[in-house]
Structure formats: structure tokens, C-alpha cells
Amino acid sequence: MIGQLDSLLEQLDALQARAIEQLEPISTSAELEEWDNRYLGRKRGELTNISSVMGKLSKEERPVVGQRINAVKAELTQRLAAKREALRQRELLQALEQERIDVTLPGREMPVGHMHPISRTIWDVTQVFVKMGFHVEEGPEVETDYYNFQALNIPADHPARDMQDTFWVVPGQILLRTQTSPMQIRVMQQTRPPVRVVVPGKVYRNEAIDASHEAMFHQIEGLLIDEYCTMADLKGCLERAARELFGEERRVRFRASYFPFTEPSAEMDIDCPICNGQGCRTCKYSGWVEMLGSGMVHPRVLREVGYDPEKYRGFAFGMGVERIAILKYSIGEIRLFSSNDLRFLRQF
């Protein structure tokens, strides 16, 4: 048995010497982990394999071998920890060297974002009316047939529906709104006169996509209801807005038109701000461009929300934001607004 004890002790000494010798040249964390598994691993480590013969030793030999195993393990564990820390420090220094920042270099200028021309136009238009005492409201883009058509004096068999070929979510019931006018009904249902609101938002129509039309675009709806309100108030309000947006020199004209929810109705034109009324491609060489539709709120619409048309009167108007932006910034094609072309957007 003495020979077996001596042999185990010699194996432990040899294992320790070999492990220390192989530990010295290790230069990467991966190699160090491989060394750890080879000598100190719990399942297949060489030190664990030697420990497995402890059960075959006598009572006198076990303490001697056990103490030696613990001593070897402690020595190798200590050297492993020292080596791991040395590698960590070296790898950290290498990373710092490779990623070193020269604090004397000038900083990189961060790009600054700005408003999209449509958002800017919505802000400009709404602020004109806010100065007149209107306040801004927003409403749902998914509407019911009642709010989008019926309450606005457009029943199911009305020919005006053919002008707004519609994106239906639930046929005959739920749709993507074709105009911001449904907010007229929603606001009047919740508010007693006087009412002054402007409503910007997206609208959807099944249009043939070309340089002047998109299936999704933006509108701004306006509504004023009070006891004393005339067509003269409508004209004065809209003339002031046109000159605020396009300059005091702008000329304005009103043309009779038809909208189911206003009576009388009118479209407002301004002399083309691009060519100053001389004639160009934008105004189709007429010198005038349409800016918006408007009119006095139809008595049926007032009755629908519980207003007495004998007591209250009002006017409404609606304008396409893209149209205003095209005139304001001399843009030749509506599709540029949704193209996300930075060459275009950086001009604003």
C-alpha cells in the first residue's frame, strides 16, 4: 500500500508541475477556460480523476492524499485566478487602445430635424384661425356611415356619395372618413353655441393616383355657429385667412357651388400666388386657383344635432392641406409629400 500512496503523491506533484508549466504561456481567455476544464473540471478534470481513487485507500492513507489534493487544488486555483485577472486587464487595455477616443478632435454635429411641410402648413393654417378665436379639435379617422354621410345630409341614395368612392371597413357601416366634416356633428352634439373650431386631419378617398391626387391626404375643417352669423362673416373670415397665408396683395373671389351640408355654398379662389395671376401650369393658365369650399350650415344639419335653425346660424369651410402647401411653397407634384425623399424634405 505504501507504494500506491507514493505513486499517488508523485502523480499529484507531476500534475501540479505540468499544469503550472502549461498555464504560463496561455494568452487568451478561451485557452484559459480550456486549461481550467482540463485540470480542475468537476467531471473530467485530471485532479478529479485522481480524487476518485480515495475510496480504495486505507484510513491512514486517505488524510495524506486528501491534504495533498487540497493543496494542489488551492495552488492551481490561486494561479488560475491570478492568470484570469491578468488576461482581463490585458484585454481591457487592448480594447481601450483600439477604441481610444481623441478628446481633442472636434465633436460630430448631430443632424437637427424639422417639421414636414404638411405639418408646417397645418400649423400655419390653424394658427391663423386660432387668432380669430377658433380652437383646434381632432377626431377619429375610422368613422361610421352616420357621422360621415347621413348626419351631413348625405343619405344612402345621395349622388354626392359617388364623388367620394369610399374605403369601407364594414360595408355600409364603418369606413375610413372621406372628409373631416364628421367632426362638425361630433362637436355640435357635445357643445352648445357659440361654436368655433378648426379640425385638421387625414382623410381617405379612392382616387386615381397622379401628380395632383392621392388616396390619403389632409384636410382642415372649420365651423362657426352663433346666433348672429351671415355670409358676409364667412367671406370676411376666409378673405383674412387667405391674405394671412399668401400675402396682403392676394385677390379673392367666391363662386357659387354645391355641398350637401351647406346652403348657400361657395368655392373660394385666390389669384395664383406662383404667377401672380399671369397664368401658369399650376393655375392652368387661368390666373386663379381654388383654395377651399365653404357655405352656410344647412338647416337640416343643425336640426340633426338639436340646434334650432331659427335661432342659430353658422358657416363651415374645408380646405386641402396639400393644395395649400403646393401654393405656399411652389411645389409641382403632390406625391412628393409622401415620397420621403430627403432631397425634397431638406428644402423646408
Side-chain angles (χ1 to χ4, degrees):
M1 299 296 290
I2 298 299
Q4 184 177 3
L5 176 61
D6 293 339
S7 176
L8 285 172
L9 295 176
E10 289 175 1
Q11 289 182 39
L12 288 168
D13 291 339
L15 183 148
Q16 179 177 330
R18 185 171 70 255
I20 293 173
E21 181 182 358
Q22 294 179 1
L23 180 64
E24 290 301 325
I26 288 178
S27 59
T28 65
S29 296
E31 293 175 349
L32 186 62
E33 291 304 316
E34 183 181 348
W35 181 92
D36 185 13
N37 292 330
R38 183 188 308 161
Y39 291 105
L40 299 175
R42 292 185 179 182
K43 294 184 178 180
R44 298 181 180 179
E46 293 190 21
L47 195 59
T48 302
N49 292 338
I50 294 178
S51 300
S52 64
V53 303
M54 290 284 289
K56 301 178 182 179
L57 300 176
S58 65
K59 289 183 179 181
E60 294 79 10
E61 293 172 330
R62 287 176 189 171
V64 177
V65 175
Q67 290 175 6
R68 185 57 181 153
I69 289 175
N70 290 337
V72 172
K73 184 175 182 181
E75 177 68 19
L76 296 183
T77 301
Q78 182 180 358
R79 289 177 178 268
L80 172 66
K83 189 70 172 182
R84 182 171 283 141
E85 178 63 20
L87 288 179
R88 190 187 72 82
Q89 291 293 337
R90 187 171 71 177
E91 291 173 354
L92 177 61
L93 289 174
Q94 290 175 348
L96 290 174
E97 182 66 25
Q98 294 173 357
E99 301 171 7
R100 185 174 59 185
I101 299 174
D102 186 349
V103 295
T104 65
L105 291 174
R108 295 178 182 175
E109 183 178 355
M110 297 298 293
V112 178
H114 55 273
M115 294 178 72
H116 190 280
I118 293 297
S119 300
R120 183 186 296 274
T121 303
I122 290 174
W123 172 261
D124 291 342
V125 174
T126 54
Q127 289 309 297
V128 167
F129 290 100
V130 166
K131 293 176 184 177
M132 299 183 192
F134 291 74
H135 66 274
V136 181
E137 293 279 353
E138 293 185 351
E141 295 177 24
V142 180
E143 269 291 5
T144 65
D145 179 82
Y146 172 77
Y147 284 106
N148 197 80
F149 291 126
Q150 296 178 38
L152 292 168
N153 197 31
I154 310 176
D157 58 351
H158 200 290
R161 291 202 181 201
D162 295 337
M163 300 166 59
Q164 301 182 24
D165 195 3
T166 311
F167 292 108
W168 290 97
V169 179
V170 179
Q173 301 179 45
I174 308 295
L175 69 154
L176 299 182
R177 67 181 180 186
T178 62
Q179 53 199 355
T180 48
S181 302
M183 278 302 291
Q184 289 187 30
I185 306 301
R186 291 184 179 275
V187 169
M188 288 191 288
Q189 284 179 340
Q190 300 170 12
T191 311
R192 302 311 301 171
V195 176
R196 290 188 183 188
V197 295
V198 285
V199 184
K202 297 175 184 176
V203 297
Y204 304 84
R205 295 186 186 178
N206 191 5
E207 300 275 12
I209 307 302
D210 56 33
S212 59
H213 297 87
E214 284 270 31
M216 185 278 289
F217 53 100
H218 299 75
Q219 280 188 344
I220 296 179
E221 187 82 12
L223 175 69
L224 184 148
I225 304 291
D226 210 333
E227 293 186 16
Y228 304 99
C229 183
T230 68
M231 194 73 177
D233 297 314
L234 165 64
K235 293 178 66 177
C237 178
L238 297 183
E239 286 178 7
R240 181 70 259 151
R243 293 184 175 122
E244 286 281 340
L245 291 169
F246 296 103
E248 292 294 334
E249 72 280 6
R250 289 277 72 78
R251 292 179 295 149
V252 177
R253 73 179 185 184
F254 288 84
R255 295 178 290 108
S257 187
Y258 169 76
F259 304 106
F261 35 86
T262 55
E263 179 60 37
S265 303
E267 292 181 354
M268 188 183 82
D269 301 336
I270 60 174
D271 62 326
C272 181
I274 295 176
C275 65
N276 288 318
Q278 298 303 307
C280 65
R281 177 185 174 190
T282 299
C283 63
K284 298 180 181 178
Y285 302 97
S286 68
W288 295 90
V289 288
E290 179 187 336
M291 181 175 170
L292 54 82
S294 62
M296 303 302 292
V297 178
H298 200 292
R300 290 182 181 175
V301 175
L302 295 175
R303 292 191 189 97
E304 186 68 31
V305 297
Y307 286 10
D308 182 359
E310 297 296 326
K311 181 178 181 181
Y312 297 112
R313 304 181 67 187
F315 62 77
F317 57 87
M319 63 184 77
V321 177
E322 281 81 356
R323 181 188 296 270
I324 302 299
I326 284 173
L327 297 176
K328 193 173 179 64
Y329 299 115
S330 301
I331 297 169
E333 183 171 333
I334 193 172
R335 289 174 292 191
L336 289 170
F337 292 120
S338 57
S339 66
N340 290 328
D341 189 334
L342 291 179
R343 295 171 299 177
F344 170 72
L345 296 176
R346 284 174 179 149
Q347 298 177 49
F348 300 93

